[in-house]
Amino acid sequence: EAKRQGKNRFDFFTEKMQLQSINRLEMEMDLHQAINNHSGLVLHYQPQISYDGSIVGVEALVRWNHPTKGLLYPDSFIPLAEETGLIIPLGDWVTLTACKQNIQWQKSGYPPMRISVNLSVKQFQNPHLLQNIQSILQKTGLPPHLLELEITETVAISHADLTLSLLNSLRSIGVRLALDDFGVGYSSFMYLRSFPIDILKIDKSFIRDITLNQESQAIIQAILQVAKSLRFKVVAEGVETSEQLASLKKLDCPIMQGYLFSRPVPADKIDIFLQGKNQWNY
Ligand code: C2E
Ligand code: MG
Ligand code: MG
Ligand code: MG
């Protein structure tokens, strides 16, 4: 009896596992198709606002309009893309699309602004990364300094030597580098000194807590001070409330991004920011 129960339980688990792997396989095939046919993948853009209320850049964030599951956010398919290697063509599509869009805005007569894209560790380990970025810049004609690549600390500290030379090469062609989600994980001021980055993005967890505790405020203040002396730009991520904005203003934080200003939106919704109709006084 016990044995039969055990076996049933085993069957139950294998069935569940089979379903999971079928679902995964389906998702993988769907994603493959979406990338190959350029169908269903979209970029949304979130403005970055400077202290004077003007838009200085946008971050491109990928979404997938799945044929049956609806609009999917990166956390639900980027890991799969990374495991299957699909992140390479997906990442190239993201960068190309973002650069094209930025050129489009410029052609419409808006002042030049930076566009940033997120790079995964896997893209960083791809020996063709530099070449891919260069050919996208060439193809689109986007001035390199208007492209910003966001990497996380995990990327920055993995394979330190290799990473360092790749970062230096990317920078030597003129693209800007940002360290995303700074302050979580293994953040250290020590390697900030040695990494050739231009921009620090303070993780949203600190911004969330800024009005709740002194410690978060002190950490943000310290990051801003170090960034200033190392000549990095700083972006505060995840600004949601006017109280948070007021605190950041008091600390002289130069650039902000978050739902308070705008959620990530389709390209045409960015126009109102570019037309200067959406200014914040603070
Ligand atoms: P991230 O690069 O740190 O992007 C910021 C995330 O915070 C975005 O989530 C954005 O929608 C969200 N966010 C912005 N403002 C606020 C706010 O005020 N409050 C809160 N709670 N959240 C805010 P999203 O779009 O779901 O992206 C999640 C992560 O997925 C990104 O984090 C990034 O690491 C990754 N990702 C997005 N697009 C790409 C891509 O094209 N390639 C790669 N490799 N990763 C991507
Ligand atoms: Mg980012
Ligand atoms: Mg971030
Ligand atoms: Mg993140």
Side-chain angles (χ1 to χ4, degrees):
E1 177 60 35
K3 202 178 168 189
R4 227 185 63 207
Q5 253 185 12
K7 186 175 179 289
N8 284 345
R9 210 170 293 147
F10 180 71
D11 286 346
F12 171 75
F13 278 120
T14 43
E15 225 167 85
K16 198 175 166 198
M17 274 158 58
Q18 260 167 12
L19 272 175
Q20 274 172 354
S21 60
I22 288 168
N23 190 20
R24 211 192 103 102
L25 253 173
E26 274 174 4
M27 281 284 277
E28 186 181 337
M29 290 193 305
D30 293 345
L31 187 58
H32 208 280
Q33 237 177 15
I35 294 167
N36 277 346
N37 307 340
H38 306 289
S39 63
L41 292 172
V42 279
L43 292 185
H44 282 181
Y45 301 89
Q46 189 178 34
Q48 297 180 341
I49 306 298
S50 93
Y51 58 87
D52 66 2
S54 64
I55 183 168
V56 291
V58 288
E59 176 173 8
L61 296 153
V62 71
R63 277 91 181 86
W64 178 19
N65 218 329
H66 188 275
T68 56
K69 296 179 201 288
L71 194 68
L72 301 180
Y73 287 81
D75 289 344
S76 67
F77 62 91
I78 291 287
L80 178 69
E82 285 176 336
E83 285 160 30
T84 55
L86 286 170
I87 192 68
I88 302 298
L90 174 63
D92 286 343
W93 178 86
V94 167
T95 310
L96 178 64
T97 307
C99 289
K100 275 188 191 162
Q101 182 58 60
N102 202 12
I103 280 288
Q104 208 49 52
W105 279 316
Q106 276 197 56
K107 280 187 179 153
S108 308
Y110 297 124
M113 63 168 180
R114 275 181 290 109
I115 189 136
S116 56
V117 297
N118 294 280
L119 289 195
S120 97
V121 190
K122 287 280 147 55
Q123 285 173 274
F124 231 75
Q125 290 162 350
N126 170 19
H128 302 297
L129 178 68
L130 180 66
Q131 202 185 308
N132 290 358
I133 299 285
Q134 263 177 315
S135 86
I136 288 170
L137 289 169
Q138 226 159 39
K139 215 185 292 180
T140 57
L142 187 74
H145 71 278
L146 296 182
L147 175 63
E148 179 180 313
L149 303 175
E150 296 193 3
I151 58 169
T152 57
E153 295 169 305
T154 332
V155 176
I157 56 175
S158 66
H159 315 282
D161 287 346
L162 210 110
T163 314
L164 206 61
S165 73
L166 183 52
L167 290 174
N168 278 317
S169 312
L170 284 165
R171 231 171 158 222
S172 72
I173 65 168
V175 301
R176 299 294 150 92
L177 301 173
L179 199 51
D180 205 356
D181 304 344
F182 184 75
V184 295
Y186 299 98
S187 305
S188 154
F189 283 148
M190 286 312 280
Y191 70 75
L192 271 188
R193 198 183 48 179
S194 54
F195 275 107
I197 54 159
D198 307 276
I199 296 140
L200 265 187
K201 300 190 76 177
I202 306 177
D203 190 70
K204 51 179 171 280
S205 54
F206 296 105
I207 315 303
R208 187 190 55 215
D209 295 349
I210 190 171
T211 53
L212 304 179
N213 60 57
Q214 283 288 307
E215 289 83 4
S216 288
Q217 199 169 319
I219 290 168
I220 293 173
Q221 193 162 18
I223 295 175
L224 285 164
Q225 271 163 9
V226 171
K228 200 170 187 178
S229 50
L230 294 177
R231 295 189 171 76
F232 299 139
K233 287 206 172 93
V234 176
V235 177
E237 287 194 280
V239 184
E240 292 184 355
T241 69
S242 45
E243 289 78 19
Q244 292 166 349
L245 176 61
S247 302
L248 287 164
K249 187 198 169 186
K250 234 183 270 166
L251 298 176
D252 280 329
C253 182
I255 307 170
M256 274 152 288
Q257 182 181 348
Y259 294 165
L260 177 67
F261 306 102
S262 169
R263 290 193 170 248
V265 289
D268 59 319
K269 296 267 165 40
I270 290 295
D271 285 41
I272 55 161
F273 293 92
L274 288 164
Q275 286 157 8
K277 287 179 187 156
N278 223 325
Q279 299 260 331
W280 290 267
N281 297 307
Y282 56 94

